[in-house]
Amino acid sequence: MSKRILVLDDNQDILDIVQETLTYEKFEVRSTSNSLDVLPLMEQFIPDLIILDYRVAGTTGGEICKRIKLHPQFSNTPVIIFSAYLNNDDHLLNYGCDGVINKPFDLSELVEKVNNLIYP
């Protein structure tokens, strides 16, 4: 059974590229551009890893990450935050995420980070 990844990004081009890349790598991927969809999709899809864009309408990926890490069912689910806006990864790690990928990013970096978190 393939591992499941949930992706949030409000840029459809990035969502498409990430979904295509991770699907090619044999992951089952669900994606959304709406931050309000993340928690309901999590509970429905039960992902093995979650990727969040830092800057999304209405909130931040950091705030969503904190909610995920407080959720009893998903507190141990690895979370990666994408960011084009912060140069200091430590700021993002304070939200409890397990990894940071700075935009623009290399697809091989994405796949490597995902594999390292899903298959430690």
Side-chain angles (χ1 to χ4, degrees):
M1 186 168 165
S2 59
K3 297 288 187 173
R4 297 172 166 209
I5 300 175
L6 177 61
V7 183
L8 165 70
D9 201 303
D10 54 7
N11 180 318
Q12 190 60 49
D13 291 336
I14 291 174
L15 273 183
D16 292 345
I17 290 167
V18 169
Q19 179 146 6
E20 185 177 316
T21 300
L22 294 175
T23 299
Y24 178 79
E25 294 291 328
K26 307 292 186 234
F27 293 106
E28 186 178 342
V29 182
R30 291 263 173 92
S31 59
T32 182
S33 58
N34 185 337
S35 62
L36 297 176
D37 291 343
V38 171
L39 295 174
L41 270 174
M42 261 177 25
E43 292 172 355
Q44 177 187 54
F45 182 58
I46 317 292
D48 297 291
L49 182 131
I50 301 163
I51 300 173
L52 304 170
D53 185 18
Y54 180 73
R55 214 174 238 181
V56 290
T59 188
T60 68
E63 292 302 318
I64 297 169
C65 179
K66 282 184 2 188
R67 288 198 299 260
I68 292 167
K69 294 299 184 176
L70 290 172
H71 192 292
Q73 185 178 356
F74 299 102
S75 61
N76 293 321
T77 302
V79 176
I80 296 172
I81 295 181
F82 282 148
S83 178
Y85 302 100
L86 297 172
N87 295 330
N88 183 352
D89 291 355
D90 290 341
H91 173 74
L92 294 177
L93 293 171
N94 288 336
Y95 288 109
C97 68
D98 302 277
V100 175
I101 296 178
N102 291 306
K103 290 180 181 178
F105 57 89
D106 184 285
L107 292 175
S108 60
E109 175 192 6
L110 170 68
V111 170
E112 181 181 343
K113 196 157 283 207
V114 164
N115 279 320
N116 288 340
L117 288 171
I118 287 187
Y119 305 109

